Amino acid sequence: MKMTTFCSGIASVLVLSAVSGFAEPVTPAVAKQNLALVPATDPAPATAPQLLPAVRGKHPRLLFTKAEIEELRKQISTDPILKKAYDDNAAWAKKFNLAKAWQPTAIFRDDTPAIVMVKSWPGLAYAYALDRDPAVKQAIVDILAMMVKEPYWADTAEFESNMGAGENMLMTGILFDAVCEDLDPAFRAQVAVSILTHARRMYYLGHKQLGTMKIKYWQQDPQNNHRWHRDAGLAACVLAVADEPGLETGFLLEQLRQEMDFIVKWFPPEGDCHEGAGYQVFGFFYLAAAVEMMDRVLGTAYLKHPGFKNAWAQQVYYDAPGRGGNISFGDDMNGAGGVFDNQEAAFFLGPKLSRDRNVQAALVRNFLKKAQFANAPTRAYSYPWALLAFYDPTVGQGDSKALPTSRLFPDLGAASFRDSWDANAVCLTFKCGPCGGYRLNEYAHATKDKDGKPHYINVAHDDPDANEFALGMDGELLFHPGLYSLRKLTESHSTLTVDGKGQLTDGDAFTQPVPDTDMRTLSYLTGWKAGTDGRVIVEGEAGVLYRDKSLTRFRRTAVWMPGEYVLLLDDIRGNGPRRITWRGTVEKGQFVKPEEGRCYAYVKSGKRVDFQILANREFTGALDHLFLDGRFGSKLMQQFQFGVTSETVKFACLLDPWKRNLAMTLQENGDTLTVTVRSDRFTDTWTWRGAKDAATPSTLTGRRGQAPLLSLTEADKVAAQPQKTE
Amino acid sequence: MNPLEMIAALRPGRRSRFPFAAGLLLAAAACLSPGATAAGFTVVKNVNSGQSPVEKVVIFEKGKPTDHLTLESTASGKTEFTADGALESRITGHDDVKIMIRWKPRGELKASFDAAAYTYLVMTCRLEGAVKETQPNGKIVEKRPDNLWMGPSLFNAKGEAVGSANFADATEDGKTPAQTTTIRIPMVAFTFWGLDSHDVQAIGFTWSKTRSNSARDFRLVIDKIALAD
């Protein structure tokens, strides 16, 4: 049952307002006050970066050069994806008429119109570069004239420096770059001055935090997607006008370079996003655009950072089989029919850099799948213009199904598994990483604040979900990973609560870091072992993450046996007797034979997954209502809740998504448990001993009959830190 | 203090979902004997058992006396009893809507109730009508919004909404009921946000102001409101 909640109350309203910027224009007095904080001139730069000789005095140069446009034109004629992207963009550009656009000046009043509307407009740059259509040039000129005329590009509380300002700046810089050589010189100069003016305001009021509205949610850490929007805008503007006659841009170029050095330094080598696959889309495009422009114009080498080559993986591995959305942690709606738009096209940068044909094929597969979902009966889906910027047909397409079906994300402390790349695949996700991921926490601890404490980092979109698992298959989410919640509760997730309480970051609309604590010590992966036939064991530890120091151990070991079963083993140890509740979030559930621990989860379409749960203590089972709140629509769900009051307990849960008619038994002998999994085709025995400490993997030895199957040993540790960047 | 911290500070306190003291009073669960095989579990709750909720308290029922009820509503949600004994709200325009049904104790209906003490709010009702939205080109489009940003609400003594759900929350098709339907909205949809809903003294509906080009034209007809487990 789908539902939308009424507004969640004061907290969420304030948060939304705070994050997106207030829609009301500022008073003249506030505008004046802010503008007075922007110095009349910039200091002399220490070492102003120089534009590459090849681009100095030449345009276009931000996203493409004239030579590259010629090459792109040839590629369009032979590649069907580029051809349709070109056709759709050209048709849209031909029809574009600013005078008939719906409230175009709304882009100056709020983030949302700027993001939704303006992100399409750079397509005009490609349309003009490719066709030189005077009508398209006029459309660009109309926009530039509007921008010159508009005194403020973000007339909001976050004056001239909100995320919408970043969008407007990115669009304006790209359009100016595309057309400036064909502009009337006086108008060109006028636009250039305007661009530099707004870039300076962004830098001083935003990046330098001089603005009167002291929102610091995006300036506080290098991985914040809101910051990347602003950086893309700043880069587009400064790089577009850097060598325009009469403009002093050396200082801003220097500051831009420093900003991007900082951002790229702390970008995870995996290119992942701790906020989830949805927010990765929302942020990565802007970072990719910014570094593309920087490397092209200044000759930096940001694109050599492995993160840009690897960012695609989170998109592909958290794509839910058979549906148009994700199976993701964090603030992701995990919907069924997402649209592949300009922002998502940026992930084609990965294979463009790596020349990996299989990755390219996987991205094309996902793109075409979403295009199919997005095609409505009354409105055909248009290919996004950004494909022209990021999709490189010379990579070619290999075999998308040749990609490994499992992947570890060390920075996130997460893993994704599926039995195939087909639409009817079974997919398991597992996460037990530090809030914010390793790289961001590394930054926090390497960069102390003025009190000597770890620097604040923004983990607003992370959930209190350590040791959560989710299961999707054939277009459905059977164990649901959650929505974009505005009240983030551990109890909403398929993990544990203790004495009815959740993990330390539980309960906020937008998560805050655990104060005075290294969050890398609270939840982390302990073990990873890959075997034959796609079999993997992954393990996480989150005991000390629970409130009141109620647990000393919460070790969850997930055994992925593709085509056969999934086994979840939980070793839970409390400080004294605790009410421990094992939670499994499902659309609908049912008990079958409680005395044998048998249940199933199902969805409206009739798809279901049977499972069996046993424990080494007597326990209770409940199936209760669960309200999954979502910023863009909530869901009324159900939840399995298996409870026990004990100091220690071990649960074993056997999932049967492949319908193997499984049966599990659990025997305890001292500190060793034996889990036996039987089907018509095999009898597997798992000998399970708890870990000796909070950092060492459990010992789990699997046998099929007498033959070794897969084992996790104390040596199979996951590296606590991801690889260092270059 | 950054803005998120400010918001966190404003957030109403939440009560623990688990009666902690009661939990500690429970005996520790029995362990397996050495070499013994674990059994399954004992079912203590199943909201999907197929059994209909049992009505515990009826607040309003068509045709039954209503002298213990008091109706309060804004002009955009004028509410009254109809000749045949139903409750009807006419929801018009685009202003805030607030409808409250207060009561005096009668029988099982006490002066107030704790939302957490019941599993469902049961309503027999239908919602007729549509939103008429004027498009930029002047065309008027009628929409039947199924996921309304309006819905049954619980109010405290001050008339503050302490929980709001949605008409479509508990319907099988996820749509608001155009025909008279009995819907059972799980109370967790009201209590999720952690506001203090232990002293509910009125039931009703809230709907925020909408854009000026949207005109609501609804008729909400209610035959019954009850609390159930």
Side-chain angles (χ1 to χ4, degrees), chain A residues 152-166:
Chain A
Y152 312 130
W153 290 2
D155 189 3
T156 68
E158 223 178 340
F159 187 70
E160 289 289 69
S161 57
N162 74 352
M163 193 160 56

Side-chain angles (χ1 to χ4, degrees), chain A residues 550-611:
Chain A
S550 55
L551 294 186
T552 58
R553 180 74 53 86
F554 172 24
R555 184 66 56 89
R556 173 164 281 180
T557 312
V559 183
W560 170 251
M561 301 286 286
E564 296 174 338
Y565 58 86
V566 176
L567 182 61
L568 300 170
L569 302 173
D570 293 335
D571 178 3
I572 302 149
R573 305 177 194 180
N575 277 319
R578 299 287 173 179
R579 183 64 181 175
I580 292 156
T581 306
W582 187 107
R583 293 174 184 270
T585 298
V586 298
E587 189 173 313
K588 286 273 181 83
Q590 197 52 269
F591 298 125
V592 183
K593 286 186 179 174
E595 66 277 14
E596 295 179 8
R598 291 184 178 276
C599 319
Y600 66 91
Y602 66 106
V603 293
K604 198 175 179 180
S605 67
K607 287 165 190 159
R608 67 184 250 178
V609 59
D610 289 75
F611 69 98

